[in-house]
Amino acid sequence: MILIILLDIAMIASAAYGVYWQSQITLRARYSLFTPILGVVLSIWVLATPGAANWPYIIGVSSFILVNIINGVGGIGNKRLVTTGFFSRVVPYNNFSEITLIPVDLPDGKNRVIAIFMTMTHQRVQLTFNQTVEAIRTELQKYLPDNVPINVENINQM
């Protein structure tokens, strides 16, 4: 029971941490649906186990679902990049070695920009935006160090 209460506290702290960094976002990326769907599926599986009727357990599962809903939001923050996903994190702008922006025209006439952020440790972070390349580039240039290049690549579509 003590372990479950400690996990509840950790989940609520994680939710507060996520909300704080998301409040710093100046240019929001598209919402990632995979994370909350995975959270709900895992929660249903966990709630199906015997002994799931006590309050600390219910609060823990509810907090887990909340954290997964929160982790679907990401974007360009005024202090750090906020990533999306099950293990979302915030990345300081001075940790990036390069950024690639790829505009994509969808068949339904909508436009998206895929932004790939490469870190100094060769990790990739990918976010998708509904904004234009120019808007994303302008926002990034406010926060990036001068030595981080922003490349724009085009995909040849049929």
Side-chain angles (χ1 to χ4, degrees):
M1 182 65 90
I2 299 288
L3 179 65
I4 293 173
I5 292 172
L6 291 175
L7 287 173
D8 291 353
I9 293 169
M11 287 302 225
I12 293 169
S14 177
Y17 178 81
V19 168
Y20 170 76
W21 283 109
Q22 288 171 8
S23 71
Q24 307 296 318
I25 292 176
T26 58
L27 192 62
R28 194 174 76 80
R30 287 182 50 82
Y31 188 80
S32 173
L33 286 174
F34 176 75
T35 305
I37 290 171
L38 179 64
V40 169
V41 169
L42 288 174
S43 297
I44 290 171
W45 176 63
V46 167
L47 283 174
T49 61
N54 59 41
W55 279 106
Y57 199 73
I58 292 170
I59 291 170
V61 171
S62 301
S63 300
F64 180 74
I65 293 172
L66 176 65
V67 166
N68 282 289
I69 290 170
I70 290 172
N71 287 342
V73 177
I76 300 169
N78 58 5
K79 296 178 183 175
R80 297 177 182 204
L81 182 77
V82 181
T83 67
T84 61
F86 195 70
F87 297 106
S88 69
R89 62 184 198 262
V90 293
V91 184
Y93 290 114
N94 60 2
N95 285 2
F96 293 119
S97 60
E98 71 174 310
I99 298 170
T100 303
L101 302 177
I102 305 169
V104 178
D105 297 322
L106 300 176
D108 61 359
K110 294 182 180 178
N111 298 321
R112 303 273 191 273
V113 176
I114 300 169
I116 301 170
F117 300 86
M118 187 64 74
T119 66
M120 299 283 190
T121 58
H122 303 291
Q123 294 176 331
R124 247 178 44 157
V125 175
Q126 181 176 315
L127 295 174
T128 304
F129 293 90
N130 287 335
Q131 291 81 9
T132 64
V133 170
E134 293 79 24
I136 297 168
R137 182 190 302 218
T138 302
E139 194 67 26
L140 283 170
Q141 287 174 339
K142 292 178 188 176
Y143 309 116
L144 285 174
D146 292 334
N147 63 341
V148 179
I150 301 174
N151 306 316
V152 178
E153 294 183 3
N154 290 314
I155 298 176
N156 294 329
Q157 297 180 352
M158 295 180 187

